[in-house]
């Protein structure tokens, strides 16, 4: 698992031992020179971020990211002003040709995308024209030469895409998990509406699942929660919902699934009132995790760490169904309290039973418009309008309740037919 680790007093000596081969030494400065340059830049009103590149606990390379120009850089290229710069990048000669360069570049670009010095229009870098391997690698990430030079080196530039608030929050959550959990972290995974392409800031939450390779201490949980609440305070809509699980319950999948920490905005007051009590009690099992992990396996995004299919095993269909049925079991009464949520959830549950499709709320609503009686189409359209616009909608309570009864009957009927088919097979 490739990761970036800030240079510090413990790892600096390992990074100083890294070398490129003889043929490449004219292409990149030694790491000791780069670290000295970082110190000079930082002490002269510049920005420099030196990192070791690690595969697990093994140092395989070094990179340094800059921003703008320091007081001493009189001949800085025009593009340097207010933009990010991949200042140095090397992979040790022992680890070249193993895919580390491309994997490390992804981590570097993710770090730049987190905007540690604020937003910028461009990222730029430079290389010796004879360094064809570097040129090919950078070009694969979208860097293009401008025809300018930084000394004897060619300058290549990448236009950075503007990031919306959702993307920034996702990036900051991921960096927070990496910083606090360190080597305990197996991976950070995004599920829910943000992963399925239907996030609505006023109505949605950001759904994360974190897998760790060992249990966390109460102190670690407390540090994580303190930072999480700061980030959640900046989130629109329903904020952040997240769970932390140990990887041993993910593959083979355990149901009901144990978790070691959970948070959603409904728990904010409890944590603020008595953090020690929250940390002590917020663990156990959660049937909803079967649905979350199913979405991760089918539609989720690995934000950091091990690939999804390496971490999460198959979720039996019966466990997933039991999980999603729990959300709609009281629909006849619950639809009056939260009609939009219940209307769309009922459609996606029935859609799964009939077609075995893992649907988002939005996709479930569109499925319902195609498959359900026209009498309920205005109700479903209203729910979709509220979900997509964030604006409150008035629902006919009698029709909503009738719809809930109808849908629960259809769901029960599909379950009975599935049970009969399974019995016939046996």
């Amino acid at each position: 698992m490739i990761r970036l680790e800030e240079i510090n007093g413990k790892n600096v000596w390992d990074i100083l031992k890294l070398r490129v081969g003889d043929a490449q030494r004219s292409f990149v400065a030694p790491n000791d020179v780069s670290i000295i340059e970082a110190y000079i830049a930082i002490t002269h009103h510049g920005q420099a971020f030196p990192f070791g590149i690690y595969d697990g606990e093994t140092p395989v390379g070094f990179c340094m990211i800059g921003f703008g120009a320091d007081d001493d850089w009189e001949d800085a290229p025009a593009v340097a002003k207010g933009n990010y710069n991949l200042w140095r990048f090397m992979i040790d000669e022992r680890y070249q040709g193993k895919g580390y360069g491309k994997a490390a570049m992804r981590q570097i670009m993710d770090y730049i995308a987190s905007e540690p010095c604020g937003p910028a229009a461009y990222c730029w870098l430079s290389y010796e024209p004879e360094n064809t391997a570097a040129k090919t690698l950078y070009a694969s990430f979208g860097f293009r030469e401008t025809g300018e030079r930084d000394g004897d080196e060619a300058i290549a530039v990448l236009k950075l895409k503007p990031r919306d608030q959702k993307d920034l929050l996702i990036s900051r959550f991921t960096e927070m998990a990496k910083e606090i959990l360190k080597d305990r972290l197996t991976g950070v995974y995004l599920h829910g509406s943000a992963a399925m392409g239907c996030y609505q800031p006023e109505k949605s939450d950001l759904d994360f699942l974190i897998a760790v390779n060992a249990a966390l201490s109460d102190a670690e949980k407390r540090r994580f929660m303190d930072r999480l609440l700061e980030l959640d305070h900046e989130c629109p809509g329903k904020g952040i919902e997240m769970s932390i699980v140990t990887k041993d319950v993910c593959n083979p999948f355990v149901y009901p699934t144990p978790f070691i920490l959970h948070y959603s905005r409904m728990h904010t007051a409890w944590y603020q009132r008595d953090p020690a009590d929250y940390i002590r009690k917020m663990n156990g099992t959660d049937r909803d995790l079967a649905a979350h992990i199913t979405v991760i396996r089918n539609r989720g995004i690995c934000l950091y760490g091990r690939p999804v299919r390496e971490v999460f095993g198959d979720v039996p269909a019966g466990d997933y169904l039991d999980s999603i049925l729990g959300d709609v079991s009281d629909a006849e009464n619950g639809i009056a309290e939260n009609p939009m949520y219940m209307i769309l959830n009922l459609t996606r549950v029935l859609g799964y039973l009939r077609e075995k499709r893992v649907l988002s709320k939005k996709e479930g609503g569109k499925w319902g418009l195609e498959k359900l009686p026209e009498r309920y189409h205005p109700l479903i359209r209203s729910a979709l309008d509220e979900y997509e616009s964030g604006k409150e909608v008035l629902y006919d309570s009698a029709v909503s309740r009738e719809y809930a009864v109808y849908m629960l009957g259809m769901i029960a009927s599909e379950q009975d037919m599935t049970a009969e088919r399974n019995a016939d097979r046996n």
Side-chain angles (χ1 to χ4, degrees), residues 304-321:
Y304 174 79
R306 297 293 181 190
V308 168
R309 295 297 174 117
E310 284 187 15
V311 177
F312 301 99
D314 288 326
V315 177
D319 294 345
Y320 174 64
L321 184 58

Side-chain angles (χ1 to χ4, degrees), residues 45 249 285 397:
H45 305 101
V249 305
T285 60
S397 58

Side-chain angles (χ1 to χ4, degrees), residues 158-409:
L158 172 70
K159 184 168 179 58
L160 300 174
K161 296 179 180 179
R163 308 188 76 205
D164 63 20
Q165 185 185 24
K166 167 180 65 69
D167 292 335
L168 289 171
L169 291 166
I170 290 171
S171 178
R172 289 172 61 191
F173 180 91
T174 305
E175 291 302 315
M176 178 190 73
K178 289 162 62 177
E179 176 186 340
I180 296 174
L181 301 178
K182 294 184 171 63
D183 58 352
R184 302 282 187 92
L185 184 59
T186 299
V188 182
Y189 306 91
L190 182 71
H191 60 96
S193 58
M196 300 170 86
C198 54
Y199 177 79
Q200 210 295 324
E202 299 304 318
K203 292 291 183 180
S204 301
D205 46 22
L206 290 173
D207 298 292
F208 300 97
L209 184 61
I210 293 175
V212 293
N213 54 40
L216 307 178
S217 68
D218 286 355
E220 288 172 318
K221 292 180 181 180
R222 180 74 178 268
R223 286 197 297 273
F224 189 90
M225 285 295 302
D226 287 343
R227 290 280 298 279
L228 177 58
L229 259 66
E230 292 177 7
L231 186 60
D232 183 64
H233 182 71
E234 300 179 35
C235 289
K238 295 167 64 179
I240 291 172
E241 181 170 354
M242 76 93 213
S243 295
I244 301 179
V245 300
T246 53
K247 68 177 182 180
D248 60 302
V249 305
C250 300
N251 193 10
F253 176 72
V254 177
Y255 186 76
T257 310
F259 67 95
I260 61 174
L261 188 64
H262 175 77
Y263 173 78
S264 68
R265 194 165 279 178
M266 66 182 292
H267 298 121
T268 304
W270 177 16
Y271 181 77
Q272 291 176 330
R273 182 177 64 253
D274 194 341
D277 184 62
Y278 185 94
I279 294 298
R280 184 170 60 253
K281 294 178 180 177
M282 184 52 79
N283 57 76
T285 60
D286 184 0
R287 294 179 183 273
D288 287 348
L289 285 168
H292 300 336
I293 292 174
T294 298
V295 171
I296 289 171
R297 280 181 55 86
N298 286 272
R299 311 280 296 277
I301 299 171
C302 176
L303 300 170
Y304 174 79
R306 297 293 181 190
V308 168
R309 295 297 174 117
E310 284 187 15
V311 177
F312 301 99
D314 288 326
V315 177
D319 294 345
Y320 174 64
L321 184 58
D322 184 63
S323 176
I324 61 175
L325 285 173
D327 275 346
V328 299
S329 59
D330 191 37
E332 188 175 350
N333 299 312
I335 200 165
E337 182 179 344
N338 195 346
M340 182 271 288
Y341 179 87
M342 200 61 72
I343 290 165
L344 299 182
N345 258 359
L346 284 164
T347 59
R348 65 178 180 174
V349 171
L350 186 58
Y352 175 76
L353 280 166
R354 287 188 178 176
E355 301 181 12
K356 296 297 182 286
R357 295 172 59 193
V358 178
L359 303 170
S360 67
K361 291 186 186 73
K362 182 177 178 179
E363 292 164 343
K366 290 183 176 180
W367 181 90
L369 291 176
E370 294 179 2
K371 306 292 184 178
L372 298 178
E374 289 188 11
R375 171 170 173 73
Y376 301 120
H377 288 190
L379 190 70
I380 297 170
R381 287 195 190 96
S382 294
L384 283 171
D385 287 345
E386 180 179 348
Y387 185 78
E388 293 176 339
S389 70
K391 297 177 181 178
E392 297 294 333
V393 172
L394 292 177
Y395 296 88
D396 185 313
S397 58
V399 175
S400 297
R401 188 179 180 89
E402 176 192 324
Y403 168 82
V405 172
Y406 169 81
M407 290 295 286
L408 289 174

Side-chain angles (χ1 to χ4, degrees), residues 10 125 272:
K10 293 181 179 179
L125 47 80
Q272 291 176 330

